[in-house]
Amino acid sequence: MASSPCGNSNFDSGLEIKTRSVEQTLIPLVSQITTLINHKDKPKKSERTLAAIHRVGQAVSVAVGRFVAVGEAIATENQELKDEMGQACFEARRAGDAIAQLTDVGSALPSQTDGRVTVFSDRTGMVKAARLLLSSVTKVLVLADRIVIKQIITSRNKVLVTLDHLERVSTFQEFVQIFSQFGNEMVEFAHLTGDRQNDLKDEKKKARMAAARAVLEKCTMMLLTASKTCLRHPDCESARINKDAVFHRMRCALEQVIEIVTEARSCGENKILPASIYNGIKDFKSGVECLRENLYSMSPESVDSQLEALVERTEDFTDSAYTSHEQRQAILSLCQLVRQDTQQLMHAWIEAQSVHAKEATEDMEVAILKTCQSVSDLRRELHKVAVGRASDLLKVHGEQLPLRALKAAGAEGNLEAVAEHSRTLTEQKEQLVETCRLLCHVSGTEPLEITCIHAEETFHVIGPQIISAAQTLALHPSSKIAKENLEVFCEAWESQLCDMALLLREINDIFEGRRGDKRSYLSLPRPGKHSTNLKTAKAVKLDAEEQTSMAKLGLELRLLSSDVDTEVEKWEEQEHDIVRQSQSLASMTYNMYLFTRGEGLLKTTLDLFHQAEVLSEEGLQLCSSLRTFSTQLVDEEKSVVMTEMEKLVALCQQLQTGAKTPVQGKTATFQKVDSSIQTTRGILTVVLSLLPFCNKLNKKYKSERSSLGSPHDWRERQDASTPVKDEGALNSKNSNGFGVKSLEQHMAGLNLLESK
């Protein structure tokens, strides 16, 4: 019991903890119970220690009482769980009372030897009570978690019913009315599933949830225009095909979300991922390296079969029509080298076994190193091929030539030209699909593999949808709704290309040893610190239409924040004020991007405006650092920095003023959201232009300083020229640089079971 059950996520009750919120709620209780149990090691206590134990025991009892009251209230509202929840609450209360009694100093007995009081005379009773308390509290939490799952299922069912109604409507008036309801239901579903996604502990489930929610996000706007086009042109076969494909994809995505939250057997999480080369190489190297300590950890036959399976997977690269002759030869040569090195290892291995060696011989050690090196070289070459092809495709597709040609041909009513450009788009689609498959092989983590598969499926589906939308426009070239419909599908394609660019960056991060997934910005502005003028403002969420219109702008924020992260990583001095403050701005911008998707901890417009205000303050701090930095520059260099800094000051002041200005009404609130995000985009664009320039100058003057004097001399001069920050600024740096408190602190503040 002294060790935390949260470590293995399984309690005596046999219930597995799936979410972070449940785990975080249990950690303080586990800590308190551990404290009580550990005190048994020294049965004789001073009065001070006894008083402390008594306080902990009473705190546990009181906290459990409050906790149980909440559980009983949940049971009252959810009759189907009433009996289970009631029993769990009863056991938790009984265990809490038992712990309070066992830690009651007043009932403890004096020791016969020295008169000191001893507690925990009934060790078995304490251990039993602690186990009962943990298992019953865990059961209450897991039952409460089932309520959350039930809410998601109920929300999904409402969406499905409305989706069926939308599919059958025959008039515009009826469609507008039902789509409005559908939009509200989708927003509710998006927030519920977004919270769930953030809460999941399993990274693979999080990735699958993110993929399904991305489909729903993009399909909502497609559904609107595809349905309107069908209503306008009811006899058009290509319009019907277009619409049916969207409805089918939305239903599949809704089903996938439910399979994830309910852990249904058909859930994608239970499906075996395609065997990736990265995992094959990882397993092969691991097996080979294990031979150092145990010559019999695996058989030569198993090593040989692992290698052949690995080489077979490289055929996805070598058989591709898009792999150059040079790349194909390089891959085949490296495969042959791995085979040769493995054969040498086999000979050394068999020889070591023949002399009954207990661990790897010197010859075998050399063979192991050569085999691991050659298989690593193979991985490096495959990574270079996959990433290089993806980068080239993104450059070519960035011009969007086939999409432009399809739009023009459709607007002219030229079916032959549409057919010709459709073939070009189909070829590009096939290249992208295959490239996503290759990226999956080298992605490096299972969540990124899932993202690659999602990208592959998205290109595979949207390509034909664009073609059917273009055919509809060509048949009805004067139709505004058909034109709008094609635009929406083209934007979805462009959006997926943006996502692919980010995916490529994350795969590179993993390969180069950096953490590939975007760091979590689980933070909110401190209550009251920045909101004195917003007390009467109403906190609202964006509806489906508003979220859709924000999607493209949100993607731009995401790309900009990633670009800033990339630029600051190039600085040698990671503690430089410019680096630290730029990172903070990128962090907050990423928060705002998540808000446009209905994710993250910025739940309402009020949260967004709080974040914008804090961001503007950090931007002004960066301006102060830039001004200090410019004092060491010559006139021309200083002029460039000061010009950009003045732009930054103006944008930060504009953002601050806008965030503080109260607005009333839905339209005005949305305009304020749009303005805040647009201005934030402007701020990061300026920062992105400054970072490489300042880095270059910083290196230049650092080099000059090192040639003019010792580092110690420079450090003293630098300290003398740098103004002393006030205490508030230092505190800001210690709290992640932008005046927010972490999720862990937030959870601890809310936790009913935290010790007094």
Side-chain angles (χ1 to χ4, degrees), residues 30-41 45 52-58 60 99-100 103 120 123 126 130:
V30 172
S31 176
Q32 290 169 332
I33 295 299
T34 302
T35 300
L36 293 175
I37 295 297
N38 285 346
H39 272 290
K40 180 64 181 79
D41 297 337
K45 314 289 181 188
I53 294 172
H54 176 70
R55 284 197 302 273
V56 172
Q58 293 301 309
V60 169
I99 288 173
T103 56
F120 301 159
R123 175 170 175 76
M126 172 56 73

Side-chain angles (χ1 to χ4, degrees), residues 10 41 48 63 104 110 128 134 170 209 219 298 400 430 436 438 512 531 540-541 575 583 608 639 660 701 741 754:
N10 288 292
D41 297 337
R48 184 176 178 181
D104 185 1
K128 184 177 178 181
L134 284 176
S170 56
M209 181 75 88
C219 280
M298 58 195 306
Q400 306 297 341
E430 289 170 356
C436 289
L438 298 189
E512 292 169 10
S531 58
V540 297
K541 297 179 180 180
E575 292 304 312
Q583 284 177 324
L608 180 77
S639 175
K660 290 180 177 180
Y701 284 96
K741 68 178 184 177
E754 190 175 9

Side-chain angles (χ1 to χ4, degrees), residues 278-321:
Y278 173 84
N279 286 328
I281 288 175
K282 183 180 174 184
D283 293 342
F284 179 75
K285 284 180 67 176
S286 176
V288 167
E289 288 172 341
C290 281
L291 295 175
R292 285 193 174 101
E293 297 177 359
N294 183 359
L295 300 185
Y296 304 93
S297 60
M298 58 195 306
S299 67
E301 293 78 16
S302 63
V303 171
D304 193 53
S305 63
Q306 267 191 328
L307 175 59
E308 288 310 311
L310 176 60
V311 171
E312 186 179 338
R313 289 174 209 165
T314 65
E315 291 174 3
D316 282 350
F317 289 77
T318 55
D319 290 352
S320 169

Side-chain angles (χ1 to χ4, degrees), residues 186 189 193 211-221 249-251 253-254 257:
M186 280 300 295
F189 187 72
T193 53
R213 295 180 72 246
V215 170
L216 293 171
E217 177 188 331
K218 290 173 182 173
C219 280
T220 299
M221 194 61 184
R249 197 154 184 244
M250 285 202 79
R251 287 192 175 96
L254 287 165
V257 169

